[in-house]
Amino acid sequence: MHVALPVFRALADPTRIRILLLVRRMELAVGELAQVLRQSQPRVSRHVRILADAGLVRRFKEGAWVFVRLGEDGVTRPVMMALDSWDEGEAVADTARLAAVRAERASAAEDYFTAQAATWDQVRSAHVAECDVEAAILGALASRPLGTLLDVGTGTGRMIELLGGSARTAIGIDRSPEMLRLARGKIEAAGLAHAEVRHGDMFALPQSNASVDTVVLHQVLHFADAPGLAIAEAARVLAPGGRLLVADFAPHDREELRAKYAHLRLGFDDAQVSAWMDDAGLDARVVAHLAAPAGVDQPLTVALWLGERPPFQQQVAA
């Protein structure tokens, strides 16, 4: 019984229950929780600490921000089941304010993408030589045909341009109309008649279950408010034996990238991405860490991770 005491103590305050219900929906920074709860950030930080001590949430620091996510399933599942069976009280108002946080994040990102669309490829090349990243991507996917290729967050279509010639069909998804306009021009110029781009969201892909052979998330996750959900959605559309390639920054402390380039996350470590892939039913491995050349001021490292959906026979056996 003593093991459960910290959990019951943590649940004794209604604000802490509200925090649990919020972070179940998405990872939130402490400042964003304070905005939704309409409480001071120090007060919310104290509530989060109590929840973390009880194992109900986990905290992780990215630059000047502290993000909060739900704790381990073994601790949180019975609590969430109990909460779901009761009246959630202020949860409806909290959900509405949470939608405002989501909208603010999306608006900031879309404003940035619209302003940067014409020079997007140069922005992506600002830290690590893009030719080195692209060579690593080609190497990671060289072992077998790409089949049906889906590029999530395609931007100006560079990944379609790079990989589309080796794919049976290629589709790029992006939320920005300006990006898609430029991507269409690039794809047409490359003569990729079997490739197309569509308006779509990384969290609600238009593809059906198990319909895609290769999914690429190239420099996309650091714009996602819920990176684990983006990986889970990409995994959903993977056919048996399909592959998900993620290319993004390793952890860093370049706080100015939030304001200047609309980054929501300051990179990801191998364990974090591998855990998301594992949770989505993919066999994960680290492909490469590509460091910026010597002499670059405040260098960033680009990492590549590959997740593979087990073949059908192995899934059945499991």
Side-chain angles (χ1 to χ4, degrees):
M1 176 62 74
H2 69 281
V3 176
L5 283 178
V7 173
F8 287 118
R9 287 171 179 154
L11 296 172
D13 188 288
T15 294
R16 294 197 281 273
I17 293 176
R18 293 166 67 191
I19 290 172
L20 280 181
L21 294 171
L22 287 167
V23 300
R24 176 172 64 170
R25 296 174 181 272
M26 61 188 285
E27 294 175 356
L28 289 163
V30 171
E32 291 173 328
L33 280 168
Q35 177 183 343
V36 173
L37 297 169
R38 295 183 174 176
Q39 297 183 15
S40 70
Q41 191 160 326
R43 184 177 181 184
V44 171
S45 294
R46 181 176 64 83
H47 285 307
V48 167
R49 176 180 55 79
I50 293 171
L51 289 168
D53 290 344
L56 291 168
V57 302
R58 288 172 286 172
R59 296 170 292 181
F60 56 101
K61 195 171 188 297
E62 290 185 2
W65 289 21
V66 175
F67 282 86
V68 184
R69 66 164 68 109
L70 206 60
E72 297 295 338
D73 187 63
V75 177
T76 60
R77 182 187 296 176
V79 172
M80 303 315 297
M81 289 176 63
L83 292 177
D84 286 341
S85 67
W86 295 329
D87 181 14
E88 296 182 358
E90 294 186 78
V92 174
D94 286 345
T95 299
R97 289 192 288 270
L98 182 62
V101 170
R102 286 184 184 271
E104 287 178 12
R105 287 181 174 185
S107 177
E110 288 187 10
D111 288 349
Y112 169 73
F113 292 144
T114 298
Q116 297 290 333
T119 58
W120 184 238
D121 292 333
Q122 290 85 348
V123 170
R124 277 186 166 174
S125 302
H127 306 292
V128 178
E130 197 67 14
C131 60
D132 293 338
V133 176
E134 292 180 357
I137 289 172
L138 290 170
L141 297 173
S143 61
R144 61 178 186 269
L146 297 180
T148 301
L149 170 68
L150 176 65
D151 181 28
V152 180
T154 194
T156 61
R158 176 55 190 157
M159 288 297 102
I160 298 293
E161 185 181 32
L162 178 71
L163 300 169
S166 301
R168 184 170 62 252
T169 61
I171 301 171
I173 299 292
D174 206 285
R175 289 182 59 180
S176 167
E178 286 296 317
M179 292 288 188
L180 291 174
R181 181 179 63 81
L182 294 175
R184 287 187 180 94
K186 183 172 288 189
I187 289 170
E188 290 170 3
L192 298 172
H194 63 300
E196 61 180 286
V197 294
R198 302 177 187 169
H199 185 268
D201 191 298
M202 74 175 84
F203 299 112
L205 297 172
Q207 282 69 30
S208 58
N209 294 350
S211 62
V212 175
D213 299 302
T214 307
V215 179
V216 176
L217 288 166
H218 175 234
Q219 296 289 16
V220 171
L221 280 190
H222 59 255
F223 295 111
D225 55 18
L229 293 182
I231 286 178
E233 177 64 359
R236 176 187 66 80
V237 306
L238 278 180
R243 296 174 292 172
L244 166 63
L245 180 69
V246 176
D248 217 297
F249 294 122
H252 61 87
D253 59 1
R254 297 282 300 278
E255 186 67 32
E256 77 278 6
L257 296 184
R258 296 192 198 274
K260 189 175 181 181
Y261 294 126
H263 291 200
L264 289 176
R265 309 299 294 270
L266 299 185
F268 307 95
D269 62 37
D270 295 338
Q272 193 173 39
V273 176
S274 295
W276 285 326
M277 288 184 172
D278 290 342
D279 290 344
L282 306 181
D283 296 331
R285 66 181 177 89
V286 181
V287 174
H289 284 180
L290 306 172
V296 173
D297 185 38
Q298 295 182 293
L300 295 175
T301 294
V302 172
L304 272 66
W305 303 273
L306 190 69
E308 184 171 342
R309 172 74 67 196
F312 180 74
Q313 292 81 358
Q314 293 182 19
Q315 287 183 304
V316 172

